[in-house]
Amino acid sequence: MPNFAGPQRTRSHERARGRPGGIRVLAEKLVRTGVVQHADGLWLLPQHVPDDLLPRSPEDLQVARLERLSPEARALGRALSVHEGKLSLELCGALWQGAPASRFGLLEALVADCVLLGTPGGYRLRDEATLQRRLSELDGPER
């Protein structure tokens, strides 16, 4: 980023562990909180970002991503997380309890926020940490 001070750039890179998706989520968070602003076609970047606005780890970035999702998208992600491996469109439909027409938009939201990856013929969870976090949110009867 131009004009992003050296130590600030290093801290941001470290917190995201160099992952481009993590840097993107961090940048979006800084824009949403008003730390980074856009005015007259220019991005206004601070010389210093308070530590409490930076996530401590990539897992914190992932939580921030999940918090951005609508309640319906989180519910679908939670339902899909109980399945390991490839998630066919048919399986996604069987696990989704909501309106069938909304399923595709919610799947797109989960892909856009890096919860799911599109694969030929379906989807899969992006990583095991996502699976574990989703499972930990489920209470007894849902598991």
Side-chain angles (χ1 to χ4, degrees):
M1 286 187 201
N3 301 325
F4 208 47
Q8 191 64 50
R9 182 176 44 234
T10 301
R11 277 187 338 155
S12 300
H13 187 268
E14 286 171 358
R15 298 284 174 96
R17 294 197 180 134
R19 297 178 180 163
I23 296 293
R24 180 182 62 91
V25 171
L26 175 59
E28 289 171 355
K29 178 181 179 180
L30 294 175
V31 170
R32 270 195 325 277
T33 58
V35 172
V36 171
Q37 298 178 3
H38 189 262
D40 298 324
L42 299 173
W43 286 102
L44 307 173
L45 306 171
Q47 290 295 316
H48 176 75
V49 175
D51 275 338
D52 63 331
L53 290 179
L54 292 175
R56 301 207 183 281
S57 68
E59 291 75 27
D60 287 350
L61 285 170
Q62 190 173 58
V63 168
R65 252 188 244 128
L66 297 173
E67 289 173 347
R68 271 197 325 229
L69 292 169
S70 70
E72 294 82 11
R74 277 196 303 273
L76 178 56
R78 190 174 300 116
L80 298 177
S81 73
V82 299
H83 181 78
E84 291 187 46
K86 185 177 175 183
L87 300 158
S88 68
L89 290 174
E90 293 79 20
L91 179 60
C92 293
L95 292 173
W96 174 235
Q97 301 296 313
S102 66
R103 180 181 63 216
F104 294 107
L106 297 173
L107 287 168
E108 288 178 18
L110 292 169
V111 170
D113 278 313
C114 302
V115 174
L116 294 178
L117 289 175
T119 64
Y123 302 90
R124 72 175 176 82
L125 288 169
R126 187 165 181 87
D127 59 40
E128 188 65 24
T130 300
L131 174 63
Q132 294 306 319
R133 188 170 346 308
R134 302 280 48 96
L135 285 173
S136 71
E137 289 179 2
L138 296 174
D139 26 3
E142 291 180 76
R143 282 183 98 173

